[in-house]
Amino acid sequence: MTAIRVRELRKQYRVSEREAGLWSSVKSLVRRKTRTVSAVDGISFDIAPGEIVGFLGPNGAGKTTTLKMLSGLLHPSSGEIEVLGQVPWKRHADFLGRMSLVMGQRNQLVWDIPAVETFELNRAIYRIPMAQYRETLDELVDLLDLKAVMGAPVRNLSLGERMKCELTAALLHRPKVVFLDEPTIGLDVTMQRRLRDFISQYRRVHGATVLLTSHYMADVEALCRRVIVIHRGRLLFDGDLGALVGRFAAHKLISIHLATPCAGLAQYGELVSDEEGHVTLRVPKAETPRVTARLLAELPITDLTVEDPPIDEVISRVFTEGAV
Amino acid sequence: MNGLLGVYLQQWKISLAETFQYRAAMAIWLIGHVLEPLLYLVVWSAVAGANGGRVGGMGRGDFAAYFIALLLVNHVTYTWIMWEMEHRIRHGALSFALLKPLHPVHADIAANLASKLITFPVILLAAGALALLFKPAFHPSSWSVLAFLPSLLLAFLLRFALEWVLALAAFWTTRIGAVNQAYFVTALFFSGQIAPLALLPSPMAFLSKILPFRWTAGFPVDLLLGRLDPHEALHGFLAQGAWILGILLVARVLWRAALRRYSAVGS
């Protein structure tokens, strides 16, 4: 049983192409040159009910295009998608009523009036029974601390308050599948953490399947054990977050505390930091055991730890080098 | 309250609140709505005056009655969906409507009705003031006034359906201004908004009969003014019904094609 099933999914766009200058403008009136761009180029994956998965990739990797196909907004060029047993682009009311897409940079709330009016509209559209609506709204208002902002026109809310209201509007009908596209973008650290906790709790309480994209690795680390990484429309990695680091990190960080200051540490590896006897070295992964043994044998060490590099660094290496 | 009625009521509430937010814009828009028929009324009155008081069998009082009735009918049937749709698609706002398990047309109808609820009393006052100023010659018969109401409802449905379908052009071209302009000029002429259709030269009069525009404005106005016999009225109702049915069928097919085409520009 899968909540989301994707096979060989592709989306190609035709974009018109024109050189600069007046003559090419005139030419384009008669014959428009187009070229085909593959935004998503044959990706496949399955997501189980109740699972939360991080969907990673640099800008333009095809994440949003994939989310739009999964939520039925875009028609795939080829391939198969099934979400909750339905084909999204057929847009059956039964499917639309059980999923939600939240885009951090867009809003569905009516701008000039209080958010609660949009909530009421969604209650009517999703035909949520009054008792359930009250219960869910109370729960969301409580979890997100919304009471004070519900009555103010949306345009007067801060970015964080607006995002909380967006999430509320998107979750009132208790969707079984939630697509979150950059839900914490532009928010401060406290608010990011708050939303993260909320997403985690919502998933736990309602058994929802969540697919999340974020530029903040902290979001992904806190919420997702499994990540799917795409780059230029292709699937680079699908698996455990820890395994991603293991697979793509070419280096390890060895951190040591020295009893007395020592010179010539650069011979052991690349010196990352050296502060009052606390030294960090970057060492090629394959050489880690040998270097560790040498350090222990040759230096007055009081403490030693071997760590993976920060996940941000690993991911950015994956993206910049397209390493597989 | 659940079901479609609940959606309409809530959408209505939202549209009312939004309309009140933009009172100044609404006032300017209303002035424009009154000025347009007033302009044609003044011009045609002048033409009638220069022709010894009558043009094509219509005197000053007849023109006054025609354009005042037109002001009311045109207001009831007016839509702005063709501009709205372009904005929605260019700014990606349609996506949110498409994510919901309800056809977006319902929100459009509710918003249209909500706005009219606020503006219609003002237009009615303006029509009253014009009537005092221009002394219209109203000679309606009781059956035609009764028939006017359903013809007005059908005119609204027809114009709404027609303009909603044309608005779908925004799915194929993100710059829909040219389509809108062509439509508005044609509609202005053939719906009877510039001149009563009876005054059109015969090739134009023929075109006005086979195009849908007459049934969105000129026909209800003529009914209200008692200018049609029962046979012509029946013909008008049948034409309205047939056009609505035809456009709804086209709308079904086009909407599906439009959804396939939708590539969420800028969203």
Side-chain angles (χ1 to χ4, degrees):
Chain A
M1 171 70 189
T2 56
I4 300 172
R5 181 177 175 276
V6 174
R7 289 289 175 279
E8 286 299 312
L9 184 64
R10 283 192 170 76
K11 178 70 186 177
Q12 292 165 334
Y13 292 108
R14 284 175 87 85
V15 292
S16 45
E17 227 175 23
R18 206 183 77 195
E19 287 155 28
L22 183 64
W23 177 237
S24 44
S25 305
V26 175
K27 272 200 302 191
S28 78
L29 279 177
V30 185
R31 178 179 296 170
R32 197 160 287 188
K33 255 192 181 170
T34 59
R35 121 188 115 88
T36 306
V37 175
S38 284
V40 175
D41 196 10
I43 62 174
S44 305
F45 57 83
D46 289 299
I47 298 177
E51 200 177 359
I52 179 163
V53 177
F55 196 35
L56 307 178
N59 288 333
K63 298 184 304 271
T64 303
T65 303
T66 304
L67 288 190
K68 283 182 176 171
M69 286 193 278
L70 288 171
S71 55
L73 280 180
L74 283 183
H75 198 283
S77 305
S78 69
E80 288 171 34
I81 319 178
E82 246 181 57
V83 178
L84 296 167
Q86 304 262 9
V87 178
W89 60 262
K90 290 189 175 165
R91 300 176 14 85
H92 281 302
D94 176 53
F95 163 71
L96 295 172
R98 290 192 294 150
M99 69 98 199
S100 221
L101 167 67
V102 179
M103 293 183 269
Q105 308 194 63
R106 297 256 158 222
N107 63 79
Q108 67 157 318
L109 301 169
V110 186
W111 193 243
D112 291 304
I113 55 174
V116 68
E117 299 291 347
T118 306
F119 301 162
E120 283 282 340
L121 183 64
N122 280 3
R123 176 181 68 74
I125 289 175
Y126 289 100
R127 300 178 182 229
I128 307 168
M130 193 48 116
Q132 186 194 319
Y133 170 75
R134 289 255 159 80
E135 190 192 318
T136 315
L137 187 59
D138 285 349
E139 178 193 318
L140 293 170
V141 165
D142 196 40
L143 277 171
L144 289 168
D145 194 15
L146 277 180
K147 206 166 202 110
V149 301
M150 286 226 312
V154 172
R155 68 181 134 88
N156 294 347
L157 303 183
S158 72
L159 188 60
E161 289 166 342
R162 214 158 67 218
M163 199 56 223
K164 292 197 286 186
C165 290
E166 283 292 333
L167 270 176
T168 305
L171 299 178
L172 274 173
H173 60 287
R174 295 184 184 166
K176 280 288 171 205
V177 168
V178 184
F179 302 111
L180 297 168
D181 194 12
E182 302 284 349
T184 56
I185 200 157
L187 302 182
D188 63 42
V189 180
T190 323
M191 188 59 74
Q192 284 181 23
R193 189 174 318 126
R194 181 123 202 196
L195 283 190
R196 234 178 265 148
D197 292 346
F198 168 72
I199 292 164
S200 167
Q201 179 154 351
Y202 178 85
R203 183 189 70 96
R204 220 175 28 247
V205 173
H206 298 286
T209 309
V210 180
L211 186 57
L212 164 98
T213 79
S214 180
H215 277 114
Y216 302 110
M217 279 312 298
D219 286 348
V220 178
E221 281 186 277
L223 290 170
C224 315
R225 268 196 55 205
R226 175 180 167 199
V227 291
I228 294 174
V229 183
I230 64 168
H231 189 42
R232 299 198 181 111
R234 291 176 166 276
L235 197 117
L236 274 191
F237 177 85
D238 179 355
D240 205 68
L241 187 59
L244 172 79
V245 176
R247 177 154 161 206
F248 290 107
H251 297 83
K252 291 242 179 204
L253 295 176
I254 303 179
S255 179
I256 50 177
H257 283 268
L258 297 168
T260 52
C262 300
L265 291 168
Q267 60 171 306
Y268 298 101
E270 186 191 337
L271 205 57
V272 178
S273 69
D274 182 359
E275 285 168 23
E276 296 171 18
H278 181 203
V279 178
T280 307
L281 295 162
R282 184 183 287 125
V283 178
K285 199 155 73 176
E287 291 184 28
T288 311
R290 195 174 55 79
V291 174
T292 311
R294 268 188 68 201
L295 284 166
L296 288 169
E298 296 166 17
L299 299 176
I301 283 172
T302 57
D303 189 25
L304 182 146
T305 50
V306 178
E307 285 173 340
D308 282 316
I311 197 151
D312 271 344
E313 206 176 279
V314 180
I315 296 280
S316 92
R317 192 184 102 82
V318 173
F319 295 160
T320 48
E321 298 172 20
V324 189
Chain B
M1 183 176 302
N2 272 313
L4 211 50
L5 186 63
V7 176
Y8 271 77
L9 284 177
Q10 183 57 23
Q11 184 65 52
W12 218 21
K13 215 173 130 193
I14 287 176
S15 300
L16 283 180
E18 277 191 304
T19 307
F20 280 121
Q21 288 281 338
Y22 299 107
R23 285 173 298 243
M26 184 60 75
I28 293 167
W29 175 85
L30 275 172
I31 291 168
H33 245 220
V34 177
L35 276 183
E36 196 183 313
L38 178 63
L39 186 80
Y40 298 131
L41 166 52
V42 171
V43 169
W44 282 107
S45 292
V47 173
N51 275 288
R54 297 192 85 76
V55 181
M58 288 176 76
R60 284 183 174 186
D62 297 318
F63 282 115
Y66 182 85
F67 283 107
I68 291 170
L70 183 68
L71 171 66
L72 295 170
V73 169
N74 195 32
H75 184 73
V76 170
T77 62
Y78 177 75
T79 92
W80 51 93
I81 187 65
M82 293 172 73
W83 308 109
E84 181 94 19
M85 195 70 94
E86 181 201 11
H87 176 85
R88 266 180 218 167
I89 291 177
R90 281 180 67 176
H91 296 269
L94 189 69
S95 294
F96 279 112
L98 292 180
L99 287 170
K100 300 202 164 134
L102 186 74
H103 200 295
V105 74
H106 295 294
D108 294 333
I109 296 174
N112 191 298
L113 295 178
S115 161
K116 302 272 174 70
L117 187 77
I118 298 173
T119 52
F120 189 71
V122 184
I123 290 286
L124 205 58
L125 276 179
L130 289 182
L132 286 176
L133 274 172
F134 289 91
K135 303 188 174 50
F138 274 116
H139 311 291
S141 54
S142 49
W143 74 264
S144 73
V145 173
L146 275 178
F148 165 73
L149 289 175
S151 81
L152 185 64
L153 177 70
L154 290 172
F156 168 74
L157 289 177
L158 171 55
R159 187 164 172 187
F160 191 92
L162 178 63
E163 294 184 4
W164 206 87
V165 165
L166 286 172
L168 294 182
F171 281 82
W172 281 269
T173 164
T174 41
R175 308 253 167 196
I176 202 182
V179 178
N180 290 0
Q181 205 53 36
Y183 166 78
F184 286 121
V185 170
T186 316
L188 199 64
F189 201 76
F190 288 106
S191 63
Q193 291 186 62
I194 291 183
L197 292 168
L199 299 186
L200 291 183
S202 58
M204 295 290 184
F206 173 72
L207 273 178
S208 82
K209 278 180 190 145
I210 57 170
L211 291 171
F213 308 109
R214 167 191 201 140
W215 315 113
T216 66
F219 169 63
V221 169
D222 284 342
L223 255 184
L224 180 65
L225 299 180
R227 292 156 60 99
L228 302 176
D229 61 38
H231 181 76
E232 287 168 320
L234 184 66
H235 174 232
F237 279 115
L238 288 175
Q240 283 185 317
W243 272 109
I244 291 171
L245 216 65
I247 290 168
L248 287 182
L249 286 175
V250 173
R252 254 181 95 85
V253 176
L254 263 187
W255 176 243
R256 282 200 197 131
L259 282 184
R260 280 189 76 106
R261 166 83 195 182
Y262 186 58
S263 55
V265 181
S267 67

